[in-house]
Amino acid sequence: MTTDGSDPRPPASPPDADDGGSPQLTETGSMRAVGAGIGTGAKATARGLKGFATVTGRAGRATFRQARRAAGAQGAERSGLNRLIELHACNAAGDSAFAIALAGTVFFAGATSGERGPVLLFLGLTMVPFAIVAPLIGPFLDRFSHGRRWAIGATFALRAFLCWVLAGTLGDGSPWFYVAALGVLVSSKAYGVAKAAAVPRLLPSEITLVKANGRVALAGVVGACVSGPLAGAAYWIGPEWACRYAFVVFTVGTIAAILLPSRVDSSTGEESLGGPGAGPRRSGLPPRVAFALRANCGPRLLSGFLTMFMTFVLATEPLDGWESKTRSTLLVGLVIGAAGLGNTIGIVVASLARRINPAVMVVVALVADIVALVLATVLYSLLPLLALGLTVGLMQYLAKVSLDSTIQSGVPVRAHASAFAKGDTTLQLAWVFGGFLGVVMSYPAVNGVGLAFAAVLLTAWAVFVLRSAPDRKASRPAPTG
């Protein structure tokens, strides 16, 4: 101590000072500080993730409850239609996963090759599932009418099994790949026929068949939109995982199909096309159903024509200002995408409209397509082409949903599956025929008159359809003598 009471020794350095403390203590203190910081950060992150998960979970549950409430609105929950609506969302989710899984395979290579030969081959292949559904599966489902739930469940179970098989054959070039992929497509078409035949059994009195079909289709759009990103994430891991994801979805659908209301299997009021006690079923369709089917062939043919014609023509001879490769591809996407948007709008309109007269709607769709086609031919530019695509997509769906309701109300329940199979096959044939015409008319020597040719063809078909309307035939006097 000094005389003034101060301590002459220098103050002790802190343990972590550069000039004094123990290196071991310095390292230990630093590690503790780092550990404390990591622990604090981990806790904060965990709390943040927990909060995000809580909010997301609540939003997801709220969305799910709203979706179920919408599916059961207007008596659909009481009748059981909501269960079919939810099942169709599951079906669309599985089909979208299957399509994503096979997007990069040779099975769909023809559709995106950009070459006319493979595209024509692909068009021919699209008829194979319908060639099986119409003559074989449709009559079988009619005879199996007392077990519709099991028939619908079988289409899910078969697709689940085949998707599991596909997961093991995607990379090894096995011939079973083609067999399994074709089996999934056929099963999907069979589901569509069986589902359409089940709708009238679950129809509540508060809504019409057109609206019910629209709500079922809208659920399919929602299911595909929700499942698409999940299937895409699985595909990013590996295409086989997208197939396995589809397997899970179709397995869930199998259970949901079997748990459909027992009314789906009801045989009350069923009869054959020939009427009660009329003996064997007649193969012909009732006049107003046949008329609606003929009218539907026009929009469906134009859809196939527009898809193929515009894909080739706009890629090789784009509009002014769209000549670059990127912009020409974008141009094709805009026109074809407008048709897809129109189809989605048609689904929304059908599900929300109070009432649509099917007999009138099929004629309106045919006339509206002709008007849009003529305008696009005369005013050949971007906006008329977009309007044409939008109109074609919109009218194709509204005409198809009107045909479905006409079959459901005009054909005896016992023959629904055969009628739907015959209708779907006819419409697919019209689409393929239109696609073939679109490919042929896209060659440079004739593509300048392609749209005009389609307008003349569709107008001639409209005249034929209107002249064969049931009312016109009924108004003619019966022959005498």
Side-chain angles (χ1 to χ4, degrees):
M1 297 289 290
T2 59
T3 57
D4 59 359
S6 62
D7 191 344
R9 292 176 296 177
S13 300
D16 56 345
D18 292 340
D19 58 351
S22 168
Q24 184 176 0
L25 293 176
T26 302
E27 182 178 352
T28 301
S30 299
M31 291 178 64
R32 288 177 178 173
V34 171
I38 293 176
T40 303
K43 291 179 180 178
T45 302
R47 286 193 297 269
L49 290 175
K50 181 180 179 181
F52 176 77
T54 301
V55 173
T56 304
R58 289 175 180 172
R61 287 192 295 271
T63 302
F64 180 74
R65 286 194 298 269
Q66 290 293 334
R68 295 207 67 181
R69 189 176 296 114
Q74 294 180 297
E77 184 173 5
R78 183 187 67 254
S79 69
L81 180 64
N82 64 323
R83 305 278 289 278
L84 185 63
I85 291 174
E86 294 165 359
L87 179 66
H88 189 65
C90 184
N91 170 79
D95 280 348
S96 65
F98 166 74
I100 290 173
L102 269 63
T105 67
V106 295
F107 194 82
F108 291 137
T112 57
S113 65
E115 300 177 3
R116 289 178 175 84
V119 168
L120 290 173
L121 177 61
F122 174 78
L123 288 174
L125 288 175
T126 61
M127 283 304 303
V128 174
F130 293 92
I132 298 174
V133 168
L136 299 179
I137 297 180
F140 172 78
L141 291 175
D142 280 339
R143 295 182 181 276
F144 202 52
S145 59
H146 298 297
R148 293 187 187 93
R149 290 179 295 175
W150 293 96
I152 296 174
T155 65
F156 277 92
L158 182 58
R159 281 180 286 175
F161 169 74
L162 293 176
C163 282
W164 188 264
V165 173
L166 278 170
T169 61
L170 280 176
D172 58 9
S174 170
W176 289 107
F177 164 80
Y178 299 96
V179 176
L182 182 61
V184 173
L185 294 178
V186 172
S187 299
S188 181
K189 299 304 178 186
Y191 160 80
V193 170
K195 178 266 299 178
V199 170
R201 286 296 179 196
L202 302 175
L203 183 70
S205 58
E206 291 87 342
I207 60 177
T208 63
L209 278 170
V210 173
K211 191 167 186 176
N213 290 326
R215 287 173 65 175
V216 172
L218 184 59
V221 173
V222 174
C225 291
V226 171
S227 178
L230 298 177
Y235 184 87
W236 182 77
I237 300 173
E240 67 277 7
W241 284 101
C243 276
R244 293 186 179 111
Y245 166 72
F247 162 80
V248 173
V249 174
F250 286 133
T251 300
V252 173
T254 302
I255 300 172
I258 296 172
L259 295 178
L260 283 172
S262 59
R263 292 178 59 184
V264 174
D265 292 332
S266 173
S267 59
T268 303
E270 286 190 353
E271 59 183 76
S272 68
L273 276 175
R281 282 197 302 267
R282 293 181 288 123
S283 59
L285 295 172
R288 65 190 186 97
V289 176
F291 171 76
L293 179 58
R294 285 192 293 269
N296 262 263
C297 287
R300 191 58 64 96
L301 182 147
L302 181 58
S303 175
F305 179 89
L306 183 70
T307 300
M308 297 302 166
F309 181 79
M310 288 301 173
T311 297
F312 286 110
V313 171
L314 294 181
T316 56
E317 299 181 17
L319 301 175
D320 294 339
W322 297 80
E323 288 82 3
S324 68
K325 179 66 175 178
T326 303
R327 289 178 66 84
S328 64
T329 302
L330 175 61
L331 180 61
V332 174
L334 287 174
V335 176
I336 304 302
L341 176 61
N343 190 269
T344 303
I345 294 175
I347 293 174
V348 174
V349 170
S351 63
L352 297 179
R354 289 183 176 273
R355 187 173 186 84
I356 294 178
N357 188 324
V360 175
M361 189 67 247
V362 293
V363 176
V364 170
L366 189 56
V367 174
D369 276 349
I370 294 173
V371 172
L373 188 55
V374 170
L375 290 177
T377 304
V378 176
L379 307 172
Y380 188 75
S381 59
L382 179 59
L383 289 181
L385 290 179
L386 292 180
L388 174 61
L390 190 69
T391 303
V392 169
L394 173 63
M395 294 303 159
Q396 175 184 284
Y397 181 79
L398 291 179
K400 178 60 169 65
V401 77
S402 298
L403 171 64
D404 287 349
S405 66
T406 303
I407 292 176
Q408 290 162 342
S409 61
V411 175
V413 176
R414 181 79 178 186
H416 271 176
S418 294
F420 278 110
K422 182 180 295 185
D424 287 350
T425 302
T426 302
L427 294 182
Q428 182 66 15
L429 182 61
W431 193 93
V432 170
F433 181 68
F436 274 110
L437 290 178
V439 173
V440 172
M441 297 302 296
S442 67
Y443 282 95
V446 293
N447 63 19
V449 297
L451 291 180
F453 168 79
V456 172
L457 179 63
L458 201 61
T459 302
W461 181 256
V463 172
F464 166 74
V465 169
L466 294 176
R467 286 178 61 86
S468 64
D471 290 343
R472 176 181 293 273
K473 287 186 176 181
S475 64
R476 292 177 181 173
T480 59

mmCIF file of all heavy atoms in Angstrom, residues 38-55:
data_model
loop_
_atom_site.group_PDB
_atom_site.id
_atom_site.type_symbol
_atom_site.label_atom_id
_atom_site.label_comp_id
_atom_site.label_asym_id
_atom_site.label_seq_id
_atom_site.Cartn_x
_atom_site.Cartn_y
_atom_site.Cartn_z
ATOM 1 N N ILE A 38 -26.440 -20.250 -29.796
ATOM 2 C CA ILE A 38 -27.086 -21.248 -30.646
ATOM 3 C C ILE A 38 -28.382 -21.724 -30.011
ATOM 4 O O ILE A 38 -29.413 -21.897 -30.662
ATOM 5 C CB ILE A 38 -26.127 -22.428 -30.901
ATOM 6 C CG1 ILE A 38 -24.940 -21.970 -31.757
ATOM 7 C CG2 ILE A 38 -26.856 -23.591 -31.566
ATOM 8 C CD1 ILE A 38 -23.890 -23.045 -31.976
ATOM 9 N N GLY A 39 -28.323 -21.958 -28.718
ATOM 10 C CA GLY A 39 -29.525 -22.414 -28.018
ATOM 11 C C GLY A 39 -30.645 -21.411 -28.102
ATOM 12 O O GLY A 39 -31.798 -21.760 -28.354
ATOM 13 N N THR A 40 -30.289 -20.123 -27.889
ATOM 14 C CA THR A 40 -31.305 -19.072 -27.984
ATOM 15 C C THR A 40 -31.881 -19.000 -29.395
ATOM 16 O O THR A 40 -33.094 -18.889 -29.588
ATOM 17 C CB THR A 40 -30.704 -17.720 -27.585
ATOM 18 O OG1 THR A 40 -30.171 -17.820 -26.263
ATOM 19 C CG2 THR A 40 -31.758 -16.622 -27.639
ATOM 20 N N GLY A 41 -30.987 -19.074 -30.406
ATOM 21 C CA GLY A 41 -31.458 -19.029 -31.793
ATOM 22 C C GLY A 41 -32.323 -20.215 -32.143
ATOM 23 O O GLY A 41 -33.334 -20.089 -32.838
ATOM 24 N N ALA A 42 -31.925 -21.398 -31.620
ATOM 25 C CA ALA A 42 -32.716 -22.596 -31.906
ATOM 26 C C ALA A 42 -34.103 -22.495 -31.287
ATOM 27 O O ALA A 42 -35.103 -22.865 -31.898
ATOM 28 C CB ALA A 42 -31.989 -23.833 -31.372
ATOM 29 N N LYS A 43 -34.149 -21.968 -30.055
ATOM 30 C CA LYS A 43 -35.448 -21.812 -29.406
ATOM 31 C C LYS A 43 -36.325 -20.825 -30.170
ATOM 32 O O LYS A 43 -37.521 -21.050 -30.356
ATOM 33 C CB LYS A 43 -35.262 -21.342 -27.973
ATOM 34 C CG LYS A 43 -34.641 -22.396 -27.053
ATOM 35 C CD LYS A 43 -34.453 -21.838 -25.638
ATOM 36 C CE LYS A 43 -33.828 -22.886 -24.714
ATOM 37 N NZ LYS A 43 -33.604 -22.340 -23.352
ATOM 38 N N ALA A 44 -35.704 -19.714 -30.615
ATOM 39 C CA ALA A 44 -36.474 -18.725 -31.372
ATOM 40 C C ALA A 44 -36.980 -19.315 -32.689
ATOM 41 O O ALA A 44 -38.121 -19.107 -33.108
ATOM 42 C CB ALA A 44 -35.618 -17.490 -31.641
ATOM 43 N N THR A 45 -36.075 -20.085 -33.356
ATOM 44 C CA THR A 45 -36.474 -20.720 -34.617
ATOM 45 C C THR A 45 -37.600 -21.714 -34.392
ATOM 46 O O THR A 45 -38.568 -21.787 -35.159
ATOM 47 C CB THR A 45 -35.269 -21.435 -35.259
ATOM 48 O OG1 THR A 45 -34.219 -20.493 -35.468
ATOM 49 C CG2 THR A 45 -35.658 -22.077 -36.589
ATOM 50 N N ALA A 46 -37.448 -22.509 -33.317
ATOM 51 C CA ALA A 46 -38.490 -23.487 -33.009
ATOM 52 C C ALA A 46 -39.823 -22.816 -32.736
ATOM 53 O O ALA A 46 -40.872 -23.277 -33.194
ATOM 54 C CB ALA A 46 -38.066 -24.335 -31.808
ATOM 55 N N ARG A 47 -39.763 -21.693 -31.977
ATOM 56 C CA ARG A 47 -41.007 -20.972 -31.707
ATOM 57 C C ARG A 47 -41.607 -20.414 -32.991
ATOM 58 O O ARG A 47 -42.822 -20.450 -33.196
ATOM 59 C CB ARG A 47 -40.749 -19.833 -30.701
ATOM 60 C CG ARG A 47 -40.543 -20.307 -29.261
ATOM 61 C CD ARG A 47 -40.627 -19.133 -28.301
ATOM 62 N NE ARG A 47 -39.578 -18.160 -28.535
ATOM 63 C CZ ARG A 47 -38.383 -18.168 -27.932
ATOM 64 N NH1 ARG A 47 -38.116 -19.122 -27.041
ATOM 65 N NH2 ARG A 47 -37.483 -17.267 -28.186
ATOM 66 N N GLY A 48 -40.716 -19.913 -33.870
ATOM 67 C CA GLY A 48 -41.211 -19.388 -35.143
ATOM 68 C C GLY A 48 -41.830 -20.470 -36.004
ATOM 69 O O GLY A 48 -42.900 -20.287 -36.589
ATOM 70 N N LEU A 49 -41.156 -21.641 -36.083
ATOM 71 C CA LEU A 49 -41.703 -22.753 -36.865
ATOM 72 C C LEU A 49 -43.004 -23.253 -36.270
ATOM 73 O O LEU A 49 -43.947 -23.595 -36.995
ATOM 74 C CB LEU A 49 -40.684 -23.885 -36.930
ATOM 75 C CG LEU A 49 -39.431 -23.624 -37.776
ATOM 76 C CD1 LEU A 49 -38.453 -24.782 -37.653
ATOM 77 C CD2 LEU A 49 -39.796 -23.396 -39.237
ATOM 78 N N LYS A 50 -43.055 -23.308 -34.926
ATOM 79 C CA LYS A 50 -44.281 -23.745 -34.268
ATOM 80 C C LYS A 50 -45.422 -22.787 -34.575
ATOM 81 O O LYS A 50 -46.550 -23.205 -34.879
ATOM 82 C CB LYS A 50 -44.063 -23.840 -32.767
ATOM 83 C CG LYS A 50 -45.294 -24.324 -32.006
ATOM 84 C CD LYS A 50 -45.012 -24.410 -30.514
ATOM 85 C CE LYS A 50 -46.255 -24.870 -29.762
ATOM 86 N NZ LYS A 50 -46.020 -24.932 -28.285
ATOM 87 N N GLY A 51 -45.106 -21.472 -34.522
ATOM 88 C CA GLY A 51 -46.148 -20.496 -34.845
ATOM 89 C C GLY A 51 -46.592 -20.586 -36.281
ATOM 90 O O GLY A 51 -47.786 -20.528 -36.578
ATOM 91 N N PHE A 52 -45.602 -20.778 -37.198
ATOM 92 C CA PHE A 52 -45.945 -20.903 -38.622
ATOM 93 C C PHE A 52 -46.791 -22.146 -38.852
ATOM 94 O O PHE A 52 -47.787 -22.116 -39.582
ATOM 95 C CB PHE A 52 -44.665 -20.973 -39.462
ATOM 96 C CG PHE A 52 -44.910 -21.186 -40.929
ATOM 97 C CD1 PHE A 52 -45.337 -20.144 -41.738
ATOM 98 C CD2 PHE A 52 -44.723 -22.444 -41.495
ATOM 99 C CE1 PHE A 52 -45.566 -20.350 -43.092
ATOM 100 C CE2 PHE A 52 -44.950 -22.654 -42.837
ATOM 101 C CZ PHE A 52 -45.367 -21.596 -43.634
ATOM 102 N N ALA A 53 -46.387 -23.259 -38.210
ATOM 103 C CA ALA A 53 -47.147 -24.488 -38.367
ATOM 104 C C ALA A 53 -48.557 -24.350 -37.808
ATOM 105 O O ALA A 53 -49.521 -24.860 -38.376
ATOM 106 C CB ALA A 53 -46.415 -25.646 -37.672
ATOM 107 N N THR A 54 -48.666 -23.634 -36.680
ATOM 108 C CA THR A 54 -49.984 -23.435 -36.082
ATOM 109 C C THR A 54 -50.887 -22.636 -37.007
ATOM 110 O O THR A 54 -52.040 -23.000 -37.258
ATOM 111 C CB THR A 54 -49.851 -22.714 -34.731
ATOM 112 O OG1 THR A 54 -49.029 -23.506 -33.863
ATOM 113 C CG2 THR A 54 -51.218 -22.509 -34.098
ATOM 114 N N VAL A 55 -50.329 -21.524 -37.533
ATOM 115 C CA VAL A 55 -51.115 -20.678 -38.432
ATOM 116 C C VAL A 55 -51.476 -21.435 -39.704
ATOM 117 O O VAL A 55 -52.621 -21.417 -40.168
ATOM 118 C CB VAL A 55 -50.340 -19.384 -38.768
ATOM 119 C CG1 VAL A 55 -51.083 -18.589 -39.840
ATOM 120 C CG2 VAL A 55 -50.156 -18.536 -37.514
#
